[in-house]
């Protein structure tokens, strides 16, 4: 089967990113947009566009019935969800399937299984993927919680099974704090996710966040495209991602890649996925979560593996046999997230009009963005303006190229993270690759 028309259930740079690949594949595209996005580029560049509701996400990009109707009216045979919004919504995947529209991503059952962090972890553990020592699944009594914490040893971390991305976590340093933290974690989880279930893990101090990109076709072919190091984050918002990871060795990549592939094969996964690991200072790695979507930072992988991951996703969804293994990675890629935020004021959102714009270019510079001069960044959605992706033959070349590209980048009218990135590139720890998830708190304390 091959798709004639794909509806993109998203906005911003990722909608444009998917449209670009569809055009290269000769597939027609349908954009959906909210009333706040009438002048957005994904609307301009798609073959057709359907307005699906008011500005608020829950009345437009999150409204399953409107999106399915838009697909019906335009005769789209598949939906690409991008990232965020409905990308990891099991009901959406299910409703697409029931409506005879191919969801470009995994089945509802797969999304549900990986969405429950305790089930995901247990599934990986049973298939020999290393996991952080801790409880076997949900802990529902205080006594059991204390007993497990005692066994794995303090500090421990209490996590919500419905959480992920840092929401509803509590670190406990000693037993006398346990009761309070346990109660708070459960109350918070119930309030945030309508699911108060929690599980417990040994707390790994100052880990790196290293994730493996996988791609799985419908015939059991599973490949990995190496790793991305996403340790430069602030409040669980990634700011810089790179591939390869400065801590990676051939052997560690082989081990992490094999673990990721084993996990995917065990669950019969389909499509693009990311297996997130924590890596400690001894280079031990532990499974944390699986993301069942294409991620914001996928371009760094594309640059070093010379692969179009959106194209691969579409081919796999069409039922193509993807039996060509990735080639060896080449060079180094770093992504800088340019957000409409003020880095001098706690990264406070700074939506508004781009009064003037000059973007960088030249060899090894890729800019994935949906903005143009006079474009107004709406306040309703995420603050991503652009992803600047730099490729160099090694990390040092990539850093030097990134400095010159950021020097060419001018955005006037609002505050952006560009000055923050320039400072990071002057930081000796970043430059030497000596950083972990505490990097921003340690070196950029406000
Ligand atoms: C951890 C951890 C240390 N030990 N789990 C944060 C996001 C969520 N996905 C899980 N997170 C963490 N889990 C154990 N057992 C430290 C973090 C963590 C973190 C992880 C990745 C990237 C940035 C982070 C920042 C703070 C804490």
């Amino acid at each position: 089967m091959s798709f004639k028309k794909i509806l993109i259930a998203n906005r911003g740079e990722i909608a444009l990113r998917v449209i670009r690949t569809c055009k290269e594949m000769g597939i027609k595209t349908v954009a959906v947009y909210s009333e706040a996005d009438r002048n957005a580029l994904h609307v301009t560049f798609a073959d057709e566009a359907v307005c699906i509701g008011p500005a608020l996400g829950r009345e437009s990009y999150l409204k399953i019935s409107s999106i399915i109707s838009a697909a019906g009216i335009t005769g789209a045979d598949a939906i690409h969800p991008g990232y965020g919004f409905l990308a990891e919504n099991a009901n959406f995947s299910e409703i697409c399937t029931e409506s005879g529209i191919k969801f470009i991503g995994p089945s509802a059952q797969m999304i549900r299984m990986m969405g429950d962090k305790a089930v995901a972890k247990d599934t990986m553990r049973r298939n020999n993927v290393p996991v952080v020592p801790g409880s076997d699944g949900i802990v529902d009594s205080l006594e059991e919680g204390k007993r497990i914490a005692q066994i794995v040893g303090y500090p421990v971390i209490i996590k919500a099974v419905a959480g992920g991305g840092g929401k509803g976590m509590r670190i406990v340093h000693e037993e006398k704090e346990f009761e309070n933290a346990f109660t708070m974690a459960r109350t918070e989880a119930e309030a945030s996710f309508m699911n108060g279930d929690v599980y417990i893990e040994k707390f790994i101090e100052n880990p790196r966040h290293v994730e493996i990109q996988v791609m799985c076709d419908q015939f059991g072919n599973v490949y990995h495209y190496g790793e991305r190091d996403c340790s430069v984050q602030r409040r669980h918002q990634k700011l810089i991602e790179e591939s390869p990871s400065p801590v990676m060795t051939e052997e560690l990549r082989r081990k992490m890649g094999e673990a990721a592939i084993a996990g995917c094969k065990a669950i019969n996964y389909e499509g693009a996925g990311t297996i997130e690991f924590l890596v400690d200072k001894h280079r031990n790695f532990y499974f944390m979560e699986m993301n069942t979507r294409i991620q914001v930072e996928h371009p760094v992988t594309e640059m070093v593996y010379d692969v179009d991951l959106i194209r691969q996703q579409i081919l796999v969804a069409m039922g193509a046999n993807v039996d060509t293994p990735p080639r060896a990675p080449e060079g180094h890629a770093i992504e800088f997230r340019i957000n409409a935020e003020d880095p001098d004021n706690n990264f406070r959102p700074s939506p508004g009009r781009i009064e003037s714009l000059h973007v960088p270019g030249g060899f090894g510079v890729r800019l994935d963005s949906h903005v143009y001069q006079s474009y107004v960044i709406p306040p309703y959605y995420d603050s991503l303006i652009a992803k600047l992706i730099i490729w160099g033959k090694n990390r040092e070349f990539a850093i030097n190229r990134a400095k010159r590209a950021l020097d060419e980048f001018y955005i006037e009218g609002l505050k952006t993270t560009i000055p923050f990135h320039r400072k990071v590139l002057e930081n000796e720890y970043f430059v030497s690759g000596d950083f972990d998830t505490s990097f921003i708190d340690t070196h950029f304390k406000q």
Side-chain angles (χ1 to χ4, degrees), residues 121 132-133 156-157 159 163-167 169 171 199-210 230-231 233-236 238 276-278 288-289 437-438:
K121 189 182 171 190
V132 187
V156 298
I157 182 165
K159 296 183 175 179
K167 274 175 282 172
M169 304 188 322
I171 300 161
Y199 62 108
I200 297 171
E201 287 181 347
K202 172 88 187 157
F203 180 66
I204 311 292
E205 312 241 15
N206 300 339
R208 283 199 179 235
H209 172 133
V210 181
C230 310
S231 299
Q233 325 200 341
R234 184 185 169 275
R235 302 200 182 156
H236 309 295
K238 295 168 186 166
E276 290 185 5
F277 292 99
L278 292 177
M288 263 215 312
E289 302 177 6
T437 50
S438 70

Side-chain angles (χ1 to χ4, degrees), residues 139-178:
V139 176
D140 43 34
S141 83
L142 178 62
E143 292 66 40
E144 190 195 351
K146 282 188 176 174
R147 190 176 56 78
I148 289 157
Q150 199 63 257
I151 294 168
V152 304
Y154 286 93
V156 298
I157 182 165
I158 307 172
K159 296 183 175 179
V161 300
K167 274 175 282 172
M169 304 188 322
R170 271 278 184 304
I171 300 161
V172 193
H173 294 93
E174 47 187 342
E175 193 175 77
K176 69 171 199 272
E177 297 171 357
F178 191 88

Side-chain angles (χ1 to χ4, degrees), residues 52 61 123 126 133 154 160-161 172 212-213 226 238 242 244 254 261 272 312 393 404 412 418-419:
I52 50 165
Y61 299 106
T123 306
R126 283 187 286 104
Y154 286 93
V161 300
V172 193
I212 302 287
Q213 174 72 54
K238 295 168 186 166
E242 59 182 293
R254 187 178 50 73
I261 288 174
Q312 295 297 103
K393 66 179 180 183
R404 79 91 179 140
E412 286 173 337
I418 292 172

Side-chain angles (χ1 to χ4, degrees), residues 345-358:
N345 275 298
N346 256 302
F347 292 80
R348 177 197 304 159
S350 174
R353 187 168 186 268
I354 296 179
E355 300 292 349
S356 80
L357 179 69
H358 181 269

Side-chain angles (χ1 to χ4, degrees), residues 15 80 184 188 198 202 307 376 389 398 410 436:
H80 195 299
M184 298 267 280
E188 234 174 67
V198 298
K202 172 88 187 157
V307 63
V376 179
I389 304 112
Y410 285 91
D436 56 47

Side-chain angles (χ1 to χ4, degrees), residues 176-437:
K176 69 171 199 272
E177 297 171 357
F178 191 88
E179 179 165 359
N180 196 25
F182 187 72
T183 310
M184 298 267 280
R186 294 217 295 181
T187 308
E188 234 174 67
E190 181 63 49
S192 314
F193 315 112
M194 293 188 305
N195 177 355
D197 291 341
V198 298
Y199 62 108
I200 297 171
E201 287 181 347
K202 172 88 187 157
F203 180 66
I204 311 292
E205 312 241 15
N206 300 339
R208 283 199 179 235
H209 172 133
V210 181
E211 57 188 32
I212 302 287
Q213 174 72 54
V214 294
M215 188 64 70
C216 315
D217 74 11
Q218 297 172 10
F219 307 94
N221 295 306
V222 179
Y223 299 111
H224 80 81
Y225 290 87
E227 77 286 0
R228 294 184 287 262
D229 192 316
C230 310
S231 299
V232 181
Q233 325 200 341
R234 184 185 169 275
R235 302 200 182 156
H236 309 295
Q237 288 293 114
K238 295 168 186 166
L239 280 158
I240 300 175
E241 305 95 345
E242 59 182 293
S243 186
S245 166
V247 283
M248 198 48 69
T249 62
E250 286 286 332
E251 193 201 357
L252 184 59
R253 182 177 298 122
R254 187 178 50 73
K255 284 188 188 161
M256 291 179 72
E258 280 171 6
I261 288 174
C264 291
K265 287 195 169 164
I267 60 175
N268 243 313
Y269 190 77
E270 177 192 324
T274 300
I275 320 278
E276 290 185 5
F277 292 99
L278 292 177
V279 177
D280 72 14
K281 58 177 179 292
H282 309 293
R283 291 201 172 91
N284 296 309
F285 64 93
Y286 309 95
F287 169 83
M288 263 215 312
E289 302 177 6
M290 178 166 187
N291 300 317
T292 57
R293 59 170 191 274
I294 194 78
Q295 290 192 270
V296 177
E297 61 269 26
H298 75 276
V300 294
T301 302
E302 298 189 316
M303 300 314 288
V304 293
Y305 280 88
D306 189 23
V307 63
D308 180 339
L309 290 171
I310 303 291
R311 183 187 175 94
Q312 295 297 103
Q313 267 193 307
I314 293 170
L315 289 174
V316 160
M318 284 174 170
N321 196 318
V322 181
D323 54 7
T324 343
R327 50 141 239 203
E330 200 175 299
H332 199 99
I334 312 179
E335 175 178 280
F336 301 86
R337 294 197 194 186
I338 314 301
N339 298 329
E341 293 170 0
D342 181 359
D344 294 327
N345 275 298
N346 256 302
F347 292 80
R348 177 197 304 159
S350 174
R353 187 168 186 268
I354 296 179
E355 300 292 349
S356 80
L357 179 69
H358 181 269
V359 301
F363 192 83
V365 176
R366 167 177 172 182
L367 196 72
D368 279 20
S369 176
H370 59 296
V371 307
Y372 50 86
Q373 192 155 316
S374 83
Y375 176 72
V376 179
I377 309 275
Y380 309 101
Y381 317 108
D382 71 13
S383 60
L384 190 66
I385 299 175
K387 305 189 301 202
L388 175 65
I389 304 112
I390 303 294
W391 183 89
K393 66 179 180 183
N394 59 37
R395 192 167 187 271
E396 189 187 342
F397 274 75
I399 286 174
N400 289 330
R401 182 168 286 154
K403 284 184 187 168
R404 79 91 179 140
L406 284 162
D407 280 345
E408 294 173 7
F409 211 156
Y410 285 91
I411 301 178
E412 286 173 337
L414 33 77
K415 300 282 187 195
T416 78
T417 49
I418 292 172
F420 167 82
H421 291 307
R422 292 190 183 124
K423 283 183 206 157
V424 171
L425 289 169
E426 299 298 336
N427 180 283
E428 58 178 310
Y429 294 91
F430 179 80
V431 170
S432 65
D434 178 14
F435 58 85
D436 56 47
T437 50

